[in-house]
Amino acid sequence: MAILVTGGAGYIGSVTVELLVQRGERVIVLDNLGRGHRAALPEGVPFYRGEAGDRDLVARIAREHDLEACIHFAALAYVGESVEQPLRYYVNNSAQAMMLIESLLEAGVRQFVFSSTCAVYGEPETVPIPEDHPRRPANPYGWSKYFVEQVLESCDRAHGLRFVALRYFNAAGATDRCGEDHDPETHLIPNVLAVALGKLPFLPIFGHDYPTHDGTAVRDYIHVSDLADAHLRALVWLRQGGHSLFLNLGNGKGYSVLEVVRTAREVTGREIPTRWEARRPGDPSHLVADARRARRILGWEPRHPELASIIETAWRWRLAHPDGYPKDPAR
Ligand code: UDP
């Protein structure tokens, strides 16, 4: 049987596809290549270009392959952009996911792993944040994912859909083959490294007056390979008949923007000039995971808990791919 991976040409999706293929799983990728790269996919993986919410296309894929489960990555993932273009996020992330789930249920597929986010929590009341922390998203990106979590719960009750919603904290790092290459790029670590490479003149630091130890925003950075490993474990959980779950994925340790810049200076040996700028609308001050549930239930154990080693893998990939992936002629 096969696993349908939507967004499999994207950053976290491609690393997960790589791992699934290494483990002998049959993988089918559906991706619109809006922000993903054909070159990020391993050779020989069946690829369909299109929207995750395209009912006819998903029905065709289900007819052509014996689908066991779906891992749904395909989504837009920029907090700032979601504040400026909320409908784009609700249509792309929420509506498309609902249509995908509907098509999968029609095709008899009832195992679903969902890329959710710590942005469902909003400004935290307690840190580290456990899964039962109130969900009050601070931006449309967080809401767009939260809506899908609600849909999944309803479909579990009504239709026996079993799901694992993985609430990622801040994905970072690279494997030898796959790295972070977005256009535009707004994430912190790739932009810090773009400055180190001389591709950007300076790093804007959004906000100096957050209620954190140095005034800059704190995030929990988690290696993309550790995220991929959690997806595989979630799949095995569902395959073995496990019930639906919401799980945080993070290291449980927070780093401020200034600490990320400092660590990147040490790793790269480059200067990395910065410039203070206003807070970015929609940014919470402090997001750090309590990820004990994923460890306990899935036996998940991050292999790259250190920020320096996460940045090192991203830097190695950047040096090997200074212009990112080869551009897809079809884009
Ligand atoms: N950030 C920054 N400069 C940048 C990009 C990001 O100061 O060029 C900050 C951002 O405001 C946030 C943190 O770095 O506080 C992490 O942002 P990112 O976009 O990487 O992830 P998010 O937490 O928004 O998903």
Side-chain angles (χ1 to χ4, degrees):
M1 294 189 90
I3 315 297
L4 175 63
V5 180
T6 75
Y11 172 44
I12 309 171
S14 61
V15 176
T16 305
V17 167
E18 189 177 41
L19 180 66
L20 290 168
V21 169
Q22 278 167 11
R23 298 294 170 89
E25 298 284 350
R26 279 185 53 212
V27 178
I28 316 297
V29 169
L30 168 59
D31 197 302
N32 67 6
L33 297 184
R35 286 186 179 163
H37 304 271
R38 190 78 176 78
L41 287 176
E43 288 284 313
V45 172
F47 174 71
Y48 293 80
R49 183 168 184 183
E51 301 299 328
D54 182 336
R55 291 188 175 92
D56 293 340
L57 180 56
V58 175
R60 177 156 79 86
I61 296 172
R63 273 196 310 275
E64 290 176 2
H65 306 273
D66 188 14
L67 295 184
E68 176 190 16
C70 174
I71 308 182
H72 178 46
F73 290 101
L76 299 170
Y78 292 149
V79 166
E81 186 179 70
S82 81
V83 173
E84 285 157 18
Q85 303 174 46
L87 284 167
R88 192 167 169 207
Y89 274 68
Y90 292 129
V91 170
N92 238 287
N93 295 2
S94 313
Q96 293 276 345
M98 291 178 206
M99 293 188 286
L100 169 68
I101 294 163
E102 198 179 26
S103 315
L104 291 169
L105 288 173
E106 270 166 26
V109 181
R110 288 193 166 67
Q111 297 178 38
F112 195 81
V113 180
F114 177 55
S115 290
S116 192
T117 168
C118 61
V120 299
Y121 298 116
E123 190 62 39
E125 288 172 4
T126 47
V127 179
I129 306 173
E131 285 86 354
D132 59 1
H133 182 284
R135 267 77 70 202
R136 292 195 202 94
N139 50 64
Y141 170 61
W143 280 110
S144 74
K145 294 283 187 172
Y146 182 57
F147 292 151
V148 180
E149 289 194 351
Q150 296 306 299
V151 170
L152 291 172
E153 279 206 301
S154 305
C155 290
D156 181 338
R157 227 164 282 139
H159 307 298
L161 176 75
R162 285 180 305 114
F163 65 87
V164 179
L166 298 171
R167 292 179 180 151
Y168 318 148
F169 281 64
N170 285 60
T175 64
D176 288 343
R177 223 181 53 80
C178 302
E180 191 164 11
D181 177 15
H182 294 125
D183 183 20
E185 184 57 80
T186 74
H187 286 143
L188 178 62
I189 291 178
N191 279 339
V192 167
L193 298 182
V195 178
L197 263 189
K199 301 237 172 215
L200 292 175
F202 60 86
L203 179 88
I205 299 182
F206 300 131
H208 65 276
D209 55 355
Y210 282 106
T212 58
H213 63 282
D214 64 16
T216 64
V218 167
R219 295 290 183 273
D220 181 342
Y221 295 89
I222 176 80
H223 197 278
V224 66
S225 297
D226 289 323
L227 291 181
D229 176 53
H231 288 77
L232 189 68
R233 289 170 186 274
L235 207 58
V236 171
W237 168 262
L238 293 173
R239 196 175 264 164
Q240 291 173 345
H243 56 78
S244 296
L245 290 168
F246 294 97
L247 297 176
N248 285 340
L249 296 178
N251 279 307
K253 189 153 187 244
Y255 293 93
S256 71
V257 175
L258 283 176
E259 285 166 337
V260 169
V261 172
R262 232 177 353 253
T263 308
R265 284 182 182 138
E266 283 162 19
V267 168
T268 62
R270 312 273 172 109
E271 200 184 333
I272 314 185
T274 60
R275 196 162 95 179
W276 294 107
E277 296 203 359
R279 288 186 185 192
R280 194 171 65 179
D283 273 349
S285 63
H286 212 130
L287 293 171
V288 179
D290 176 343
R292 284 176 298 179
R293 187 189 282 180
R295 290 169 185 259
R296 183 166 42 81
I297 297 182
L298 300 185
W300 178 68
E301 189 67 47
R303 297 228 181 122
H304 296 271
E306 296 304 324
L307 180 65
S309 108
I310 293 174
I311 294 180
E312 218 171 273
T313 63
W315 180 235
R316 209 177 313 131
W317 191 83
R318 249 310 136 191
L319 288 175
H321 306 80
D323 298 314
Y325 286 106
K327 294 297 161 260
D328 188 334
R331 281 175 84 185

